[in-house]
Structures are given as C-alpha cells and as structure tokens.
C-alpha cells in the first residue's frame, strides 16, 4: 500500500513536469518567436534533465520494480499502469547512456541531412543517416529482451498487440482486394467540374468556415480551442484542455477544411475521455491506430459524405459566393472525393492512401529484417509505386525522401495510419446498426455520434487496449474486410456506376 | 569559488522553473480555455512546490548566506546579485509558514470580496479583507528587521531606494505646482471636434493599425509578438522573447492604440537588455519606476505628440476613412491629449493622472502608519478627490474600490506609476540635448531613440539601480521639476495659449 502511494505521488509529479513541457511545446509550435528558441532550449533542457532524473532514479526504479514483481496481485487497472510504467522504464534504462546520447546526435543530424537530401532530391545525402538510425534501433531492440522479433518490438511500440503476423495478414487483404479495385477506378476519367477547388479563397473566410465546423462537430469550446500552424496537429494535456490547429492555403481550400475535421476527430476523442484517468498512466487515447480511427472517421466518413455537405455547403457558399457560383453540392461532394494516382502520401485521397502506406510498411520490414540494403531503397520504392498505383516517381524527393518519419527515428509508425481507417470502418459497421447516421448528419446532430463514441470508446482512455475495444464494441477481433467493403461501396458509387 | 559555482547552478535551475511557469502564465492570460484552469492549478501547484523547496531548502540558504557573509570581497555585480538573493530569501523564510499560508488564503478571499464589493459599490463588504491585508503586511514587515520604517519597506520593494522621505518631497512638489495648474486647465472648456473618438472602429482594422505601430516603434518581431487580452500587459522571459498585448474596444479606439504604444515601451526596454544578464539575477528592467518611465515616455511623450500623428495619422485615416473624414490631424492631436477631471485612474489623461496617484499614496501611508482607520477610507478618498480634482465620487465603485491592487496585497506599488512619468521627463530633458527628437519622430526613425535608450538605460538590465541610472544618464539625482515643467509646457500650449 505504501508503495502504491509512492507510485501515485510519483506519477503525479512526473505528469506535472510533462504538463509544463507540453505547454511550452504548444507555444513553440504555434506562436513562439523565432529568436526565442536557443534560450528556450537551454531552459527546457534544465527541466528535462530534472524530469529524466526523476523518471530513472533508483527510488523510482524500486517503486516500479516492486509493484511489477507483485503485478499478479494488483487490481487489473493498476496492473495495466504498472506494466506500462515498467515498459517505459526499461526502454530508458536498458539503453547504455553513451549510446542513447550518440543516438540523439544522430537524429539531430539526420533531420538536417534529410532536409538537405529532399531539397536536392538526392537520396545519397540521407543514406548514411538512415543506415545509422536503423542500425541503432535494431541494437536498442536487442537490449529489451522482450522475446519478440525485432521489427515487432517497433510495431508494438506504436500499436499495442500488433505484430508482423497481423499486419501482413491485413496488408495481404488490402493488396488482393484493393489494388485491382483501385486500378479499375483509376481507369475511369469522368468529366467533372472541379477547377473551383484551386481558386483563391481568402484566409479570413476559411477561418470563419473552420470556426463554424467546430460547432458542427460539437467540440466543447470551454475545454479547447483552434489555432493555426504550419503542420496541423492536435495537442492535449487532459480532457479539460484539448487544442488543435489547421492551416490556411489560399489556393487549396480543402486543406483547412479537412485538416480541421481530421484534428477535430482527434480532439473529440481526447475531450471525451473520462477525467478520472487524469492522474494515472491510463489517460489519453489508447493507441495511434485507435486515435487515427477517430480522426479519419470524422474526416472521411462524416466529412466527405454527401449528407454532410447537403447541410453545410450553403454556409460555405455564403462565405465564398464567387468561387462556388456554378458549383452544385453534388459537384462539391465529388470533388472532395476525387481519386487520383499521386506520389505524395499526405496529399493522397482516401482510396489510394493505403497503397502509400503499404510501400512504407514493406520497406521498413525488409530493412529491419535485413532483406534489403539501404542503398536499394529508391529503386525498390519506385518499383512498388508502379506495382500498387501504376506510377513511377521521377525523383527521390517525390519518392523515398518525402516523409519526415524515418529521419526522426519513427520506425513502425506508418502502418497505424491505415490501421486507423480500417478500425474506423469496423466501428462504423457497428455504429450503423445502432444509429441512423445519415439522418443524424442531415439533421446536424453530430453530437449524437460523439456520444456513441464516448460511451463505447472515448471514455476509457487507454484503460483498454485497442484489441479489447474492438472486441467489446464490435463483437469481433480486427477484421479488415469492413474497410475493404466500405471503400468499394463508396467508390463504386462514385466512379463505377 | 566552489560556492560561487553552486550559486550559479542554483540560479540557472531556478530560472528554468520560473521560465516554464511564466510560459504557462502567458498561456493562461491570453488563450487557455476556461475549463482548463482547475487542472492547471493542480499541475502548476506541483511544480511551484518543487520550486519553493529549491528556493528555500537548507543547501540554498547555506550558499546564499555564505556568499552574503563574504559580500565585501565579491565583485560588485556578483555582490549586487547576492544581496538581491539574500533579500528575496529573507522575505520568504522569515515569515512563519502558517502565517504565510494564512495570508495566501486571505488574498484569495480578498479578491472575491473586492469584486463583490465593487459590483455592489459597497465598501463594507471589502473592509474586513482590507484590514487583514494591511495587518498581515505590517506584521510581515516586522520580521525582516531591516531597520527601515514599515511603509518604507513596502515602498522599497517596488522601487529600490525610494522611501517616504523621497516620495513626500516628490508629491509635495506635484501638489504645489500641479494642483493649481490642473484647476486652471480644467476651467478652460475649448470647443473641440472630438465626437469621432467614440465612433465605431472595427477590431480588424484596429489590429492592423497596432500591427503597423510595431514597426513604427521598431520592435523586433523576431524576438517578440503582439497578441490581445482583456487587460494589456507585457510579458518576457529574456530579451529573446518579449511579448505584449493590447485590447480592442470597438467604441473607444484610443484604448488599443495607446495600450499598444505603452506596452511597446515596456517591451522595447526588455528587448534591449543585454542578454549577458540572462543567467544572473540582474536580468530584466531594474525597477517598476524605470519600467514605467519607458512605457509612459513612448505612450505620452512620443505617442501623443503632434509630430507623431503628422506622420501616422494618414495611415489611421486610410484604415478608418469614414470615421475620420472631417477630422484634421490637429483635431486628432488635441483629442488624444484631452484633459478632464474624471473618477477612474486607468482612464485618466496624462495631466490629471498624478492626482489620482497622490490620493492613493497618502491613504496607503496613513493606513500603514495607523493615522487613519480602514472604515474612514471612503470619506477620506472622496475628500481628497475634491481637493485635487474638484470632483466627488458618487459611490465607492468609482472611488475607493476601483483598483485591484490592495485586494492583491500590492501596497506601495501605486507611487511607481507617477514616479515613472517623472523619471521619463528627466531622461527626456537629457535626451533632447543629444537628439533632435521632433525631427526623429517626423522622419519616422524612432529606432534612433530606441538606440539612445538602449545605450544609456536598457542594456544594463537591473545591474544598475534606478538612482545610479538617473545620476549617470542625467548627471543629477531625481528632480521632479522636469516633470512639472514638461506638463506645464505641453498643456499650456494645448489649453492656455
């Protein structure tokens, strides 16, 4: 009992440090003046050092290890917390300090070499850094002694319980079912009115429309806010303070709208978590995949539906009468669901998106498993793009160099993006049995959908694993066919009927 | 030497904690959603507790006391730091903990009773809190054993080196010289075009004009920014990160303009401090009075000058053509310098402002010296308003209850506001000998004034005391006649010629 109290006090203290660092991070990402960063790095360095000491000092290890050794006797929720704490602790203390420091330096330099390589579209510049990042991660994985295969350790880091066995099965379904379907869709070239997409839309009115969407999605303004930033993101410390950003491109209005809806999905998840988890390690969304399932559900399933735009297109037209004067709501609906084979993942549409992820997953897996050499990546990448999407990147910048992830050491992260869409489709399948979703959207009552998700998923924070949630909400284990069926149904109607 | 190193490391660590707390404060005051505050209080409470421990623990006391005992041998700058550290430390550790905690509670409750009292315009509601606040402060002062008179300790807290002797002399000059002058000015009721002041000015264009002023005053956007808040303020962590706010009232455009210029004055001071003081206790502006001298110099001397508006009024007219169509730059200039006897300090003009402060200073002093009882304040207040400005408040809300200061425990703070104006006039007198200020303003080269102030005042941070700065910059000790002369000259031209 005394150890449990110590654990609770420790968790709370650590959370307080994380809280202030998070707030500084929000400031850094949304408004801090450029000149403030060197001083900031120094000051936050001091605080991070104290936090690191607190997280790793002997007394902390003793508390965590003692509870871990008695985990069988603990209440299941406390046990889940202790297991998380033990996993996090091991990740830090099992890596020799000099290697950890060395790796941080490698990551710093990799950022620069990646930017440079991307700018010059020359993979050779980034190659040595990429090699080091994979080498170090393989070495680190070895220290953890999890008994898992190396790449599985990476995958499990971003999505608890998902390993190559599950992802291979998942991506095989997508490969078999979607690749031929996508090719069929891409063959159709319907005449559509969509030049209005790229017209000039002023930022002030885009911002007004995104502000309007906040209420459409029933986001609680008392416990959050919207701001702008270069890269849209969601930020939260607890359900009482959830913020998100979007960005305003004057020549591509969809960017602000769908970034806002996407981030509102993440933000709604965080706002609806029960605050009772605040002082535990079970706060926050349960995994990358489940988080992404929420953002993509709001963005694609709701935000790109005809029903949605039938209600909200008039508001959009009111703000942009000139740009939309000959554009019907059906034209608009078709434009927001336009399918195209394209090189850049972040600009890809809902249907071709999974192809982009499959390329990355296959390459990461082969690289981690030493089935391919770093120098072969550009060729392999381009070959797979041809295989999945029928197009070949003209250079490394629009190919293997496009994403920031690997240069930041994020290996095993990509698959969660598509996994999120697949989870979303499976949840959606269940939701449709209990709610008349089209009617809800048509009546502008999205709050009802929020409440369903709160009750079934959101409230639990990370007290349940992704797999538990899937089982409890949908009555079955992960089944990617819901995703395949959802995409086929939607895009058959849009392109093949 | 080892103790000095310990001192340096300690100062840096404390600064890092203060840094993150300051950033959280900026967020709280400018954008944090309402619902986030309870959780925030809890999290910041944890961090503040750690900081308090760090500031007061035995090892900290040992370091400070050891250096203090050897202060005669230290380098003068280090000695100044150590003396500051010792003073701050004593303030905290000499007050018995239970009394300190009790006082915090009193302050919390006083905020509420003051708000309530102000709303109902009933001094009786606030009276018990006010009594307690003065009682506790008198008791605390007794613990410090400074050998100073009690109210002098309070005054010195806000303005190093200023005691009742100095303030009495200062305010006697103002009473003798300005009270009759103000009465003379108030008798004149010139016919002036000034109804345009209260026209409707949209916030967007007000914001554009304030943004324009940022460059006019040559504020460095790379190391700062402007935002909005309910009460305008300047915030800074170091010269590399200085931010300020203004507020936009659609029916009183002067509010945003002069708040912006005022805060730009504070902000310019902070931006121009030499960053070499960052890791010392000699960073930041040297005193409230010197700080206020800068903000009031920019706001009143520059920002309310005819030369200033001759250059910038066209921009203002461009943004507000309708509201200003029959208004000449001379009309505008006269309107921004309109003198009126009014009840509310924060709305007072440059000339009547010192009268408001004199009322507060006299009352604080008498109360601290037990020459008046708390219950007599409303009557005393109103009597003095009649004496100095010839008007009598109709109720406590527009009289003794108007300011937040006393309910927050800020006693001895008010006089620094006017002291700032008087310092400003003395610096201005010297500056005019070295710079052609009218020409500089007319040529839109305020940067030159900034540089003069940087060289003479700003760069030193708080490594020099207010008195040292006055002596070194102007060649004489504090002399309030420059202030009297400045006001008489300006307002004779505006009203009596």
């Amino acid at each position: 009992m005394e150890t449990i109290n110590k654990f609770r006090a420790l968790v709370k203290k650590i959370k307080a440090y994380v809280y202030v660092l998070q707030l500084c991070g929000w400031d850094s990402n949304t408004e801090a003046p450029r000149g403030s960063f060197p001083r900031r790095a120094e000051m936050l360095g001091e605080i991070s050092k104290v936090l690191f000491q607190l997280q790793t000092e002997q007394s902390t290890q003793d508390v965590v290890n003692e509870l871990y050794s008695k985990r069988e006797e603990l209440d299941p929720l406390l046990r889940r917390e202790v297991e998380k704490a033990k996993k996090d602790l091991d990740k830090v203390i099992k890596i020799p300090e000099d290697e950890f420091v060395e790796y941080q330096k490698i990551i710093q330099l990799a950022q620069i070499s990646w930017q440079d390589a991307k700018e010059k579209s020359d993979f050779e510049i980034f190659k040595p850094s990429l090699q080091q990042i994979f080498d170090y991660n393989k070495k680190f994985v070895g220290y953890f002694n999890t008994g898992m295969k190396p790449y599985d350790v990476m995958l499990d880091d971003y999505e608890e319980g998902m390993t190559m066995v599950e992802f291979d099965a998942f991506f095989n379904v997508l490969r078999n079912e979607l690749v031929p379907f996508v090719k069929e869709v891409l063959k159709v070239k319907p005449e559509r009115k969509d030049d209005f997409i790229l017209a000039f839309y002023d930022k002030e009115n885009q911002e007004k429309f995104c502000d309007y969407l906040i209420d459409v999605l029933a986001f609680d303004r008392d416990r959050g806010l919207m701001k702008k930033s270069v890269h849209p993101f969601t930020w939260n410390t607890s359900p009482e303070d959830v913020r998100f950003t979007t960005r305003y491109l004057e020549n591509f209005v969809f960017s602000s709208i769908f970034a806002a809806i996407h981030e509102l999905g993440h933000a709604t998840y965080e706002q609806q978590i029960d605050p009772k988890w605040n002082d535990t390690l079970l706060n926050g969304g349960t995994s990358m995949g489940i988080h992404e399932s929420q953002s993509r559900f709001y963005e694609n399933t709701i935000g790109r539906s005809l029903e949605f735009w039938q209600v909200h297109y008039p508001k959009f037209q009111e703000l942009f009468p000139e740009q939309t004067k000959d554009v019907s709501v059906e034209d608009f609906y078709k434009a927001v669901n336009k399918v195209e084979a394209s090189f850049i993942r972040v600009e890809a549409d809902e249907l071709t998106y999974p192809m982009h992820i499959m390329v990355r997953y296959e390459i990461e897996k082969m690289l981690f498993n030493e089935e391919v050499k770093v120098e072969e990546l550009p060729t392999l990448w381009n070959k797979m793009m041809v295989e999945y999407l029928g197009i070949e990147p003209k250079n490394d910048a629009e190919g293997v160099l496009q994403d920031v992830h690997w240069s930041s050491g994020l290996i095993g992260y990509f698959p969660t993006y598509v996994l999120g869409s697949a989870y979303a489709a499976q949840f959606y399948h269940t939701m449709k049995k209990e709610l008349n979703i089209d009617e809800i959207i048509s009546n502008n009552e999205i709050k009802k959908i929020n409440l369903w998700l709160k009750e079934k998923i959101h409230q639990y924070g990370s007290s349940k694993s992704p797999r538990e949630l899937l089982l409890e909400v949908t009555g079955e284990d992960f089944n990617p066919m819901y995703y395949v069926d959802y995409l086929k149904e939607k895009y058959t109607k849009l392109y093949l009927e």
Side-chain angles (χ1 to χ4, degrees), chain A residues 186 338-342 347-349 352 356 389 391 495:
Chain A
L186 287 173
K338 189 178 178 179
V339 177
E340 259 177 321
S342 63
E347 292 166 7
D349 55 81
T352 59
H356 291 268
L389 283 168
I391 54 172
Y495 277 88

Side-chain angles (χ1 to χ4, degrees), chain A residues 206-222:
Chain A
Q206 286 198 44
E207 196 171 334
K208 278 182 195 157
F209 190 70
C210 290
D211 189 72
Y212 164 83
L213 291 174
I214 290 179
D215 295 324
V216 170
L217 273 78
F219 178 74
D220 182 353
R221 291 179 188 265
D222 255 10

Side-chain angles (χ1 to χ4, degrees), chain A residues 96-148:
Chain A
E97 201 181 322
D98 57 334
E99 290 183 19
F100 183 79
V101 171
E102 192 56 33
Y103 180 65
Q104 296 307 318
K105 280 187 209 152
I106 288 168
I107 292 287
Q108 296 286 328
L109 294 173
Q111 302 283 323
I112 297 162
S113 74
W114 169 70
Q115 277 171 11
D116 192 25
K118 192 176 170 184
E119 226 161 79
K120 297 182 177 134
S121 196
D122 182 359
F123 182 72
E124 288 299 310
I125 299 171
F126 181 48
K127 205 176 70 179
S129 294
L130 186 60
Q131 183 73 57
Q132 286 177 310
I133 287 172
F134 271 82
D135 287 347
Y136 267 83
N137 273 288
K138 277 184 243 175
K139 185 152 56 167
F140 292 167
V141 161
Y143 293 132
F144 304 145
N145 291 320
T146 54
M148 292 161 78

Side-chain angles (χ1 to χ4, degrees), chain A residues 431-468:
Chain A
M431 194 193 289
K432 277 194 293 188
K433 291 185 214 161
E434 301 180 19
L435 297 178
N436 186 335
I437 296 174
D438 292 351
E439 196 181 291
I440 286 174
I441 298 174
S442 296
N443 292 339
N444 197 15
E445 298 175 325
I446 291 177
K447 180 91 190 170
K448 288 185 182 170
I449 295 175
N450 295 354
L451 289 177
W452 190 92
L453 289 166
K454 179 179 182 178
E455 191 205 324
K456 306 279 182 176
I457 302 172
H458 298 176
Q459 62 162 314
Y460 297 108
S462 47
S463 66
K464 297 187 178 189
S465 70
R467 196 158 200 164
E468 282 175 287

Side-chain angles (χ1 to χ4, degrees), chain A residues 55 341 415:
Chain A
Q55 286 172 317

Side-chain angles (χ1 to χ4, degrees), chain A residues 140-359:
Chain A
F140 292 167
V141 161
Y143 293 132
F144 304 145
N145 291 320
T146 54
M148 292 161 78
K149 289 184 185 162
Y151 186 51
D152 283 347
V153 176
M154 307 301 289
L155 291 170
D156 177 79
D157 230 21
Y158 296 101
E159 193 66 18
E160 189 184 346
M162 288 296 285
T163 65
M164 282 182 281
V165 173
E166 285 83 8
F167 275 120
D168 284 347
F170 173 38
F171 287 122
N172 281 337
V173 170
L174 298 192
R175 194 176 299 103
N176 296 334
E177 297 282 343
L178 286 185
V179 173
F181 180 74
V182 167
K183 288 195 172 151
E184 213 181 324
V185 168
L186 287 173
K187 259 186 271 167
V188 185
K189 307 270 182 206
E191 280 271 327
R192 281 178 182 173
K193 189 196 291 291
D194 57 14
D195 50 345
F196 72 93
I197 301 176
L198 302 176
F200 179 87
Y201 293 78
D202 66 89
K203 290 182 186 184
E204 288 73 21
N205 277 317
Q206 286 198 44
E207 196 171 334
K208 278 182 195 157
F209 190 70
C210 290
D211 189 72
Y212 164 83
L213 291 174
I214 290 179
D215 295 324
V216 170
L217 273 78
F219 178 74
D220 182 353
R221 291 179 188 265
D222 255 10
R223 298 183 295 131
L225 57 87
M226 175 178 77
K227 212 167 160 183
K228 66 180 174 188
S229 66
V230 179
H231 300 289
F233 67 101
T234 296
W235 172 100
N236 55 284
T237 55
S238 76
E240 296 89 351
D241 196 358
V242 181
R243 311 179 190 188
F244 69 96
T245 68
T246 187
R247 64 165 166 192
Y248 303 100
L249 305 179
E250 292 193 317
N251 293 304
F252 187 51
V253 68
F254 288 171
S255 178
S256 69
I257 297 174
F258 292 103
I261 302 178
H262 182 96
E263 300 307 331
L264 273 163
H266 285 303
T268 299
Y269 186 3
E270 289 295 337
Q271 272 197 342
Q272 297 203 120
I273 291 172
D274 194 318
K276 75 178 174 191
W277 310 114
N278 278 355
D279 282 331
T280 73
L281 299 178
L282 307 178
N283 68 315
T286 193
S287 75
M288 306 290 309
I290 298 289
H291 236 302
E292 206 64 17
S293 78
Q294 302 307 295
S295 57
R296 283 172 192 255
F297 170 72
Y298 282 93
E299 179 193 347
N300 294 327
T301 313
I302 296 183
R304 294 185 200 266
S305 69
L306 182 57
E307 291 74 19
F308 186 83
W309 288 105
Q310 277 164 340
V311 188
H312 306 296
Y313 187 58
K315 176 73 184 178
F316 187 76
Q317 281 193 303
E318 186 190 311
L319 290 165
F320 300 107
E322 274 309 304
Q323 297 89 329
T324 58
K325 72 169 175 274
D326 300 318
V327 182
S328 71
V329 66
E330 285 76 18
D331 293 334
F332 192 86
Y333 165 66
K334 284 175 184 163
V336 304
N337 288 294
K338 189 178 178 179
V339 177
E340 259 177 321
S342 63
F343 297 115
I344 305 299
R345 176 184 61 83
V346 295
E347 292 166 7
D349 55 81
E350 185 183 12
L351 182 62
T352 59
Y353 191 87
M355 313 294 123
H356 291 268
I357 295 303
M358 282 159 63
V359 171

Side-chain angles (χ1 to χ4, degrees), chain A residues 367-382:
Chain A
L367 208 50
F368 224 85
N369 294 345
E370 292 173 16
E371 293 158 17
V372 69
K373 291 204 179 78
V374 164
E375 58 258 38
E376 299 170 272
L377 292 201
T379 316
L380 181 60
W381 182 287
N382 293 1

Side-chain angles (χ1 to χ4, degrees), chain A residues 52-58 60-62 64-65 85-100 140 143-144:
Chain A
F52 184 78
Q53 273 162 5
L54 184 62
Q55 286 172 317
T56 55
E57 64 195 5
Q58 196 52 50
T60 298
Q61 294 190 32
D62 293 345
V64 172
N65 287 330
K86 173 70 175 163
K87 195 168 163 182
D88 291 344
L89 183 64
D90 282 357
K91 287 252 157 76
V92 186
I93 60 169
K94 291 202 172 171
I95 297 172
E97 201 181 322
D98 57 334
E99 290 183 19
F100 183 79
F140 292 167
Y143 293 132
F144 304 145

